[in-house]
Amino acid sequence: MPTPGKDLDRLAAYHRLQELSRTPHDLTAAGGLAPERLARYRCRAAGIDLLYATQRVDDTVLDGLQALADESGVIDQFLSMKQGAVLNRIEGFASENRQVLHTACRDIFSPQPLAPEASQQARDELAKLRVFLSELDNQTLRNGKGETFTDLVHIGIGGSDLGPRALSIAMAAYRLPQRRVHFISNVDPDDAHAVLQGLDLSRTLVNVVSKSGTTLETLTNEELARAAFTNAGLDPNRHFLAVTGTGSPMDNPDRYLRSFYMFDYIGGRYSATSMVGAVMLGFALGYDAVIEILRGANDMDRAAEERDIRKNPPLLLALLCVWNHNLLGCETVAVLPYSQALLRFPAHLQQCEMESNGKSITRNGDPLRYASGPILWGEPGTNGQHAFYQLIHQGTALVPTEFIGFRHSQYGQDILIKETTSQEKLLANLLAQSLALATGQENDNPNQRFSGNRPSSVLIADRLDPYSLGALLALYEAKIVMQGFLWNINSFDQEGVQLGKVLANRLLAHMAGRSKDPNYDGSETDRAGWALLKAAGMLGDREPRGKGQSS
Ligand code: G6Q
């Protein structure tokens, strides 16, 4: 069993950084953004460059961050995660007690993967997927009328939706002809209706994705979709696919055309490169594109093992986050992709970061004495520039930003207007924002004064394609778990979402009129829940009828 790391504030390097944080690098000073600095503060892996000259760090702070990385053993912990250590746990308390092996899903190219068993399971599932996709391609798998399948509806929520959906939107430019994918996640019936109504169900597959096989929203939407197929005279079992954990209530191949598996060592929010994302992506893009995504992710996973922080983009981004968040006091981080295709990428990162690092205890169960995960948010630029950037430039909150951009567009359909292409305009805007935030601008008019010294990083790659998307995804996954190691928290559980789920079931039981023992127990929470339902006009004149009934 690995020993958890040390608390951040027990590290000598952290105290040294606290001293340095009193006089952070001044980006507004003369020479604060010297060309030499811009050229040197740049680090690259798996085709992605991280430009960080516009962060409030200098060589001394970078040396301090290197010392912090070394002293906390962040890379050793990352390696032991990849080798299958049980890191999803809280010492001495009941916890999930699981390995964390999402990286094994893409460690499939080397003859000696770090976690051989998990990588073999990934290969086996990929082999099944390859057969399934080739049967679709060569039309041995067709609908009851002998036609090909053209549409796939992916049903899942949280980790079984956000990552796959973000990747699917990002890769729309690479979609196979005559293949469309759709998503249903919310239990809002309008969401499901809006998706299903426009489809020719006879040529549609439905991919139901739930690791646990017990999630209310997903099971409800599955039944709703099954009913739509039955009403259309179709047999759902010949159209529905399952992606689930082995042994889950959904692990019932008789009900599905095909069943694919993911394993308990892959957390939902880290599961986009498992079958959770791969089945839908394979349908939309083809098997080879899925492999390219995995290859990009694997290359970044391997680059993330580098101990020199100046050569390891995810590690450096994680340390810069600790610098901004714990030492310079910033509470949020904005991820701003200058690519419309990354429309839902910030939403995926929001879950990945905030569900992983929104914690208040250490891995020993002690209260944290320092801040853990920041609030992460974001929208594509340049749209955001015409909206919330005002606050980033001149607001009282200091918002470190992570810009993401690509040198070339996906479709290559572009024209010169006033001697620049749209892609150049997009990138010019990205870089100008980074510059403006760093240097600011003096003005006698206080309303037109920009303080500057607002930190940002720029991630830039050649083109958003399957390989770079995989690398970008893995970069953020690694960054997020490394932050967790630095804060000495468990980034792999999500107890915080449980209470709301339990109470929602309780309120549903009241609404369904099943308010008998044990659902209505007269506890303070139950009484408040009942009263809240009444105040919301959901119960009419009904009174509780359980053993704890109040009247
Ligand atoms: C992610 C979380 C959570 C989970 C969903 C869906 O890390 O655990 O978002 O992915 O609740 O769970 P199922 O896949 O089990 O339906």
Side-chain angles (χ1 to χ4, degrees):
M1 205 63 78
T3 327
K6 285 195 208 135
D7 294 358
L8 185 66
D9 60 357
R10 297 262 190 267
L11 304 175
Y14 184 68
H15 293 286
R16 168 84 181 117
L17 286 165
Q18 277 179 320
E19 280 165 33
L20 294 173
S21 71
R22 291 195 199 110
T23 52
H25 179 76
D26 186 358
L27 294 161
T28 67
L33 257 187
E36 177 272 336
R37 176 184 167 94
L38 285 158
R40 197 158 57 85
Y41 280 14
R42 174 181 168 167
C43 129
R44 181 181 171 87
I48 299 182
D49 286 304
L50 165 62
L51 314 184
Y52 59 97
T54 43
Q55 290 284 348
R56 300 200 66 190
V57 294
D58 55 18
D59 287 344
T60 314
V61 170
L62 288 170
D63 290 343
L65 292 173
Q66 177 73 60
L68 189 73
D70 296 342
E71 196 182 349
S72 66
V74 61
I75 292 301
D76 290 328
Q77 295 186 62
F78 184 70
L79 277 169
S80 63
M81 179 191 91
K82 290 177 77 174
Q83 286 159 351
V86 178
L87 290 178
N88 179 357
R89 68 195 303 265
I90 300 290
E91 281 291 317
F93 294 90
S95 49
E96 291 187 339
N97 259 319
R98 288 180 185 158
Q99 297 170 295
V100 180
L101 279 174
H102 51 278
T103 47
C105 287
R106 46 255 190 165
D107 192 6
I108 54 168
F109 304 98
S110 132
Q112 287 167 322
L114 291 178
E117 246 176 75
S119 289
Q120 190 52 46
Q121 284 180 310
R123 284 195 195 109
D124 292 346
E125 291 305 306
L126 278 167
K128 279 165 53 185
L129 178 62
R130 184 178 209 164
V131 169
F132 172 64
L133 294 174
S134 67
E135 286 174 11
L136 289 175
D137 288 345
N138 64 28
Q139 301 185 14
T140 45
L141 197 59
R142 286 183 278 186
N143 73 2
K145 291 192 267 177
E147 298 162 323
T148 53
F149 290 102
T150 53
D151 292 75
L152 178 142
V153 178
H154 178 111
I155 297 181
I157 196 164
S160 294
D161 167 67
L162 285 158
R165 195 191 291 241
L167 299 190
S168 161
I169 295 171
M171 290 293 97
Y174 299 87
R175 226 167 258 170
L176 295 173
Q178 271 146 32
R179 292 273 173 90
R180 292 173 294 267
V181 289
H182 317 265
F183 295 84
I184 303 175
S185 55
N186 203 325
V187 75
D188 180 348
D190 292 344
D191 190 15
H193 176 72
V195 170
L196 294 174
Q197 67 167 349
L199 294 175
D200 175 357
L201 296 184
S202 71
R203 301 186 73 177
T204 299
L205 294 167
V206 177
N207 185 30
V208 187
V209 184
S210 176
K211 176 180 166 181
S212 63
T214 61
T215 302
L216 170 85
E217 290 90 335
T218 302
L219 298 188
T220 305
N221 282 326
E222 175 177 1
E223 287 317 309
L224 202 146
R226 278 183 180 266
F229 275 75
T230 308
N231 291 341
L234 299 163
D235 176 3
N237 295 359
R238 300 186 63 182
H239 289 255
F240 279 51
L241 316 168
V243 178
T244 192
T246 45
S248 93
M250 263 177 60
D251 182 4
N252 180 359
D254 292 345
R255 292 192 83 213
Y256 299 97
L257 181 64
R258 293 290 154 88
S259 291
F260 298 94
Y261 294 98
M262 51 108 67
F263 304 92
D264 73 353
Y265 50 71
I266 301 175
R269 53 193 173 275
Y270 297 100
S271 67
T273 52
S274 73
M275 285 300 116
V276 167
V279 173
M280 173 275 301
L281 290 168
F283 178 84
L285 313 174
Y287 183 78
D288 292 347
V290 171
I291 294 299
E292 271 302 283
I293 293 174
L294 300 183
R295 207 168 60 77
N298 183 50
D299 283 355
M300 187 57 81
D301 288 339
R302 286 191 293 119
E305 295 173 11
E306 167 64 52
R307 286 173 194 276
D308 182 342
I309 69 164
R310 290 168 170 91
K311 295 182 181 161
N312 182 335
L315 175 59
L316 185 52
L317 262 192
L319 289 160
L320 289 170
C321 176
V322 168
W323 172 250
N324 287 326
H325 190 57
N326 296 86
L327 294 146
L328 300 187
C330 308
E331 290 194 356
T332 92
V333 58
V335 178
L336 307 171
Y338 276 61
S339 159
Q340 195 58 23
L342 289 180
L343 177 67
R344 292 295 289 169
F345 195 61
H348 169 56
L349 295 185
Q350 197 166 58
Q351 173 185 35
C352 222
E353 171 75 66
M354 290 165 71
E355 202 165 49
S356 298
N357 292 334
K359 307 288 165 63
S360 296
I361 59 165
T362 69
R363 284 186 277 180
N364 292 309
D366 301 321
L368 281 184
R369 295 173 300 272
Y370 43 83
S372 61
I375 300 158
L376 186 150
W377 55 285
E379 278 285 324
T382 64
N383 302 24
Q385 285 175 217
H386 299 267
F388 53 81
Y389 277 38
Q390 166 60 35
L391 183 147
I392 302 182
H393 282 284
Q394 287 188 308
T396 50
L398 210 55
V399 181
T401 48
E402 291 169 7
F403 295 104
I404 303 173
F406 301 91
R407 297 179 189 98
H408 305 286
S409 65
Q410 287 184 311
Y411 292 99
Q413 299 289 318
D414 207 343
I415 57 165
L416 277 178
I417 297 178
K418 293 192 179 154
E419 293 176 50
T420 56
T421 63
S422 292
Q423 186 65 20
E424 285 170 336
K425 291 178 177 73
L426 186 65
L427 271 189
N429 268 282
L430 182 164
L431 297 173
Q433 289 299 323
S434 174
L435 204 58
L437 288 167
T439 56
Q441 182 179 279
E442 267 308 324
N443 198 303
D444 290 341
N445 178 348
N447 198 34
Q448 288 172 5
R449 195 175 295 150
F450 294 79
S451 64
N453 272 327
R454 294 174 182 250
S456 68
S457 299
V458 175
L459 289 165
I460 186 161
D462 274 345
R463 180 178 277 110
L464 183 59
D465 58 18
Y467 178 88
S468 63
L469 181 66
L472 187 66
L473 178 79
L475 184 154
Y476 270 100
E477 288 178 353
K479 175 205 178 211
I480 287 164
V481 306
M482 286 173 177
Q483 285 168 196
F485 294 148
L486 290 160
W487 289 317
N488 198 24
I489 58 177
N490 178 4
S491 300
F492 309 111
D493 66 0
Q494 57 284 316
E495 293 295 332
V497 298
Q498 295 307 326
L499 180 59
K501 275 193 193 173
V502 170
L503 288 183
N505 280 331
R506 201 96 156 201
L507 297 192
L508 279 173
H510 296 336
M511 289 165 77
R514 294 187 304 268
S515 53
K516 295 179 183 156
D517 303 344
N519 288 321
Y520 185 83
D521 60 11
S523 68
E524 185 112 352
T525 309
D526 248 1
R527 276 191 283 134
W530 190 276
L532 191 56
L533 281 170
K534 282 197 98 162
M538 299 297 290
L539 288 179
D541 293 333
R542 283 168 48 197
E543 293 301 329
R545 290 179 290 121
K547 73 172 176 196
Q549 124 184 17
S550 54
S551 56

